[in-house]
Amino acid sequence: MTTKHTLSFTHTHNIVFAARQHAHDIQPVCKQQRLVEAAEEAHLQHEENPDLQYEYFNAVLINEVDEDGNSVELGGEFLLEPNDHFNNLSVNLSLSVVQVPTNMYNKDPDIVNGVYWSEALNKVFVDNFKRDPTLIWQYFGSAKGFFRQYPGVKWHPDEHGVIAFDCRNRKWYIQAATSPKDVVILVDVSGSMKGLRLTIARQTVASILDTLGDDDFFNIIAYNQEIHYVEPCLNGTLVQADSTNKDHFKEHLDKLFAKGIGLLGNALTEAFTILNEINQTGRGSSCSQAIMLITDGATAMYDDVFAKYNWPERKVRIFPYLIGRESAFADNLKWMACANKGYFSQISTLADVQENVMRYLHVMSRPKVIDHEHDTVWTEAYVDSALAQAHKLGENKDPNPITTVAMPVFSTKNETKNQGILLGVAGTDIPIQELMKTIPKHKLGIHGYAFAITNNGYILTHPDLRPLYQEGQKRKKPSYSSVDLSEVEWEDTEDVLRTAMVNRRTGTFSMEVKRTVDKGKRVLTMHNDYYYTDIKGTPFSVGVALSRGHGKYFFKGNVSLEAGLHDLEQPDVALADEWTYCNTDEHHDHRHLTQVQAIKLYMTTRKPHLKCDRELIQQVLFDAVVTAPLEAYWTGLALNKSENSDKGVEIAFLGTRTGLSRTNLFVVPEQLTNQDFLTAEDKEGVFNADHFPLWYKRAAEQVPGTFVYSIPFSSGGENKSVVLASTAIQLLDDRKSPIVAAVGIQMKLEFFQRKFWTASRQCNALDGKCTISCDNEDIKCYLIDNNGFILVSEDTSQTNFFFGQVEGAVMNKLLLMGSFKKINLYDYQALCKEYAGSSDSARTLLDPFTTVKWLLTELVIFLLEFNLYSWWNCDSTVKAQRAQRTMMVPCDTEYPAFVSERTIKETTGNIDCGGCIRTFVIQQIPSSNLFMVVVENKCDCSSAPPVTMEPIEIIYNESLKCDRLKFQKDRRRPQSCHPFHPEENAMECGSANALNFPMVAILFPVLSFLISR
């Protein structure tokens, strides 16, 4: 068979623009528009009927029966079938379901009427999904509180019988319904607010905070006879309403206590002063502004304050919340709302809080509704834990991070035009991985990756983003959506990359980076080149990072189609699950196809109606052909029992730069020591959307021709009792030398250690006697890797420990001598626990030290003993190419990693342990990442502190904490802003008891004058 191959240059800017174009092309704006149009037309044709009776499919009640076996009301039989496109949930692709919040009545007339007319969306949902099978959840969130979701799915309450989901406090709803806003929350803490009133006030503040998003800014002021900022260091300013800041303020709410008298005038003056200054300096949202007033009464109307600061423009809306059942001061508070384009609500119990807080959103949405601006909004990446719980997404299924595309739905009836009635928000979820799906990963190189950020600099997708607490725990991080790019690309101390991307520029940037691998235990130092641009029609920017030395050039080969397909379909071949060779999601007929089947269909059919990466397919076919002889070679080794008589070697594996892998088992699967290896459970050990396998990446960073040995770190910390060995295959081209594959084996740890000890007892002396060996009680022998982890020790319990934990004095000396170097790393997504001999013997080792080299010589023999090298260099393939209860809380940490200095091959040193001189020897084992360490054992150095890799929490003093709160990183404001509208009907301004007649008579001329302005 003849093959042809060349080297090609990677046009990186084409890759990043391809990602940009794909993300732009998948925008479901037209599908959203169809939903919006259908909803508005259905509402226009509907006449409200307070007596309407209508049976609908309630998401909680479907398929439920009573004691007699009959379907419950609003339930009924609802066909559900498992569908892997929807996390293998059982769904109905023909119908939607309706969820009503737990605190609302299922048959409320407003709910029933809204559900009735929104049935028209079913047809659009189904049609959208037929047109684009890549879509996942589509829905309509009503301003009345109900949530219509497609496809239909069963919802399940939690253990308390509650579903903690209200579509109106979801970010996609709030962002679509309102414009960005600056909000000052005033909380009355005078003596009359003691007890339940203060509790309700705290909950009201927390609920308001929940309605604010990343494009909003806020502060909270408590007042009595004095002004008290809830966070004193933020005196006179506003902060961005990201998750971290909101959580910070919520923690301070419990510190509020009631005493004294309430001077509301001073508090209003302070609030107006802040908003005016923020507006002039441009440090806030530069859009809508509001004051939320939470109090149990107001003895005056404070028209002098409003006249000075807010009239006649009335740019700041006032939203008073009267706490308690008393209505003595309701008239004054409602007047404030009506005179300042706001809304008055009375909250008597904790159960009233949520519904009353939500009403301000409808007022803030009025200008947008009257303008009839269907602004399309995209949320940041998030995981909706409440929705996942309601769908009973299993513990073993990670909810995928998504972004939601949403548009507001308005009433188009002429009689309600100036009221600006928001009907709700239509939304569609897009998996984040879909945005980056078509990026050609084989062109990014071994360490390359793609990433995207929002207009606020928060990460949309990045391989270093950690959305969950710890592996195995499926709890969402509280600030998951607010991880900033600067917290993962932390080497960019000047925020050059972040600033350019936030401002939607197109360009390049370079810097040296430190990338951790293997559960953060190891570090790779590289120089990255970044290429970035904006994604049109979204607030996002996309970037690609390439590590120098990888990705600039890629290998291209050609083979016959027949030979390629034949070798690709062999049972030992697999393709990367998360790579897109062919897009099988675009047509329903292709969804059942594997990638291999899709490739065959694409390459052998004239019009397959498949979108595939032809260049990648050609290269994967080439790799399948040139690696095919390995199958016969490995089979031969398995049949030759002398090569692996005690089955110490369990798996041989190969991976290529196209995501193709080959594996051969030398034992039955049930006998594998580490059964997770090369499976989806071993996320770092397989090709995925973010990275090449760990064994591939580490081999690529070693000197060509050397082997990387390691013991895997499992997620639970337990020892998997295996050793992995791998090496990279590099083309012998002096100028470019791209790495085209990596190969390796998995062997039993006990087998590896036994081979080591056998080799350490053999000598080259003529009489066969060893002057010194590891059996000698005067010395200790260790085998460690280039990151300082122990592979072999006389004490087997020390296996995979960091060497500095066991021999702290020796490790400190190695660091001082430069044999190893310490690299300080930072983790801004961390979680921290919060609690509810003699000098004579030394000469004996030094004098005959040359005899220790036999150990190192014999180890080379050991490594090659069972023909290990030939596994990677068989002629037919390789030659052609070469216990207290604790709580985990977010924190920042600093931690060390260690790496050997490659240029130092052999070192001898002495340690003074209280007058006793201890000697050690370290020497690199050729053609590997391993080091033999021999330490004299006659001195007690236990008093020397260990060298550990434990992270240390970074503690910020109060001044620095305050600076961090105040500091605002560069961000780009949304382009759309609708703060007010001249046709707005501001008389719709309250929900409590009507104003009494005398008050209306007095105030009507004033109100009429103001509202006409």
Side-chain angles (χ1 to χ4, degrees), residues 166-185 202-218 220 240-243 246-247 250 290-292 294 319 321 353-362 364-365 380:
D166 187 324
C167 62
R168 296 167 299 175
N169 64 14
R170 268 26 196 186
K171 285 187 177 182
W172 53 266
Y173 185 99
I174 296 165
Q175 285 182 231
T178 65
S179 295
K181 48 196 170 292
D182 299 329
V183 176
V184 176
I185 304 173
R202 290 191 187 104
Q203 184 60 45
T204 303
V205 174
S207 294
I208 293 171
L209 291 180
D210 287 339
T211 67
L212 303 181
D214 295 334
D215 293 323
D216 302 324
F217 290 77
F218 76 101
I220 305 175
Q240 189 174 5
D242 60 32
S243 299
K246 289 191 293 184
D247 288 345
K250 285 180 181 179
I291 295 173
M292 308 299 198
I294 302 165
F319 294 94
Y321 294 92
V353 171
Q354 179 81 0
E355 200 63 29
N356 280 285
V357 165
M358 289 296 171
R359 287 174 177 153
Y360 95 87
L361 292 174
H362 305 150
M364 299 291 280
S365 70
E380 74 284 353

Side-chain angles (χ1 to χ4, degrees), residues 53 56 58 73-74 100-112 144 146:
Q53 300 294 313
Y56 61 90
N58 184 290
E73 195 175 21
L74 298 182
V100 179
T102 304
N103 63 334
M104 299 185 72
Y105 178 42
N106 282 327
K107 289 193 169 184
D108 181 282
D110 286 341
I111 298 290
V112 175
K144 302 298 184 183
F146 72 85

Side-chain angles (χ1 to χ4, degrees), residues 107-264:
K107 289 193 169 184
D108 181 282
D110 286 341
I111 298 290
V112 175
N113 276 270
V115 170
Y116 179 80
W117 65 255
S118 67
E119 282 285 340
L121 297 180
N122 268 326
K123 183 180 178 181
V124 184
F125 286 145
V126 174
D127 190 54
N128 279 347
F129 188 56
K130 284 182 178 179
R131 295 186 184 199
D132 184 0
T134 64
L135 290 177
I136 51 172
W137 304 108
Q138 303 175 69
Y139 40 82
F140 170 71
S142 168
K144 302 298 184 183
F146 72 85
F147 179 69
R148 181 178 289 280
Q149 183 183 33
Y150 173 87
V153 62
K154 173 77 172 175
W155 285 49
H156 303 270
D158 62 18
E159 63 273 17
H160 305 295
V162 174
I163 292 178
F165 181 88
D166 187 324
C167 62
R168 296 167 299 175
N169 64 14
R170 268 26 196 186
K171 285 187 177 182
W172 53 266
Y173 185 99
I174 296 165
Q175 285 182 231
T178 65
S179 295
K181 48 196 170 292
D182 299 329
V183 176
V184 176
I185 304 173
L186 300 180
V187 188
D188 184 352
V189 291
S190 62
S192 61
M193 287 288 289
K194 286 182 179 178
L196 179 60
R197 290 183 179 181
L198 189 57
T199 301
I200 295 173
R202 290 191 187 104
Q203 184 60 45
T204 303
V205 174
S207 294
I208 293 171
L209 291 180
D210 287 339
T211 67
L212 303 181
D214 295 334
D215 293 323
D216 302 324
F217 290 77
F218 76 101
N219 205 337
I220 305 175
I221 298 174
Y223 72 91
N224 42 32
Q225 64 268 33
E226 296 178 354
I227 299 297
H228 309 275
Y229 281 84
V230 169
E231 173 48 77
C233 92
L234 293 174
N235 190 316
T237 188
L238 301 181
V239 293
Q240 189 174 5
D242 60 32
S243 299
T244 303
N245 288 338
K246 289 191 293 184
D247 288 345
H248 177 80
F249 273 82
K250 285 180 181 179
E251 291 172 1
H252 281 63
L253 293 179
D254 288 337
K255 300 176 183 177
L256 297 179
F257 58 93
K259 68 174 184 177
I261 59 173
L263 300 182
L264 177 56

